[in-house]
Amino acid sequence: IRVSMNRNFFETSTSPCINICKYDISNNYCIGCFRTPAEISKWFYLSEEERSKITESLDSRKNELNN
């Protein structure tokens, strides 16, 4: 399957990325956006529903890493 995306797709799609791209000590989550490496790499290919589900879990991941 070939996915066609133009520049507008990336400009209008939102991402929790805040340009602090470093992983926690266990390499499970980015300490900037709290997504997994797999979530980051697939982000623009995920459905809105999948992205929403991940976004809803980010606060709990942040709390988990900060404790």
Side-chain angles (χ1 to χ4, degrees):
I1 297 175
R2 185 176 180 169
V3 178
S4 175
M5 289 184 239
N6 61 29
R7 192 170 132 153
N8 282 343
F9 174 82
F10 292 103
E11 290 174 354
T12 60
S13 295
T14 59
S15 167
C17 180
I18 59 169
N19 295 319
I20 300 174
C21 304
K22 296 181 181 184
Y23 291 98
D24 68 320
I25 196 164
S26 65
N27 284 324
N28 288 329
Y29 300 114
C30 171
I31 62 169
C33 67
F34 305 100
R35 293 178 293 166
T36 67
E39 291 166 346
I40 292 167
S41 65
K42 297 177 183 178
W43 187 257
F44 290 105
Y45 302 101
L46 298 173
S47 69
E48 285 294 325
E49 183 180 334
E50 291 169 313
R51 283 188 255 168
S52 292
K53 189 174 183 178
I54 293 167
T55 301
E56 290 171 5
S57 69
L58 298 181
D59 282 338
S60 65
R61 293 178 184 182
K62 182 180 180 178
N63 291 335
E64 178 184 327
L65 288 176
N66 290 329
N67 288 327

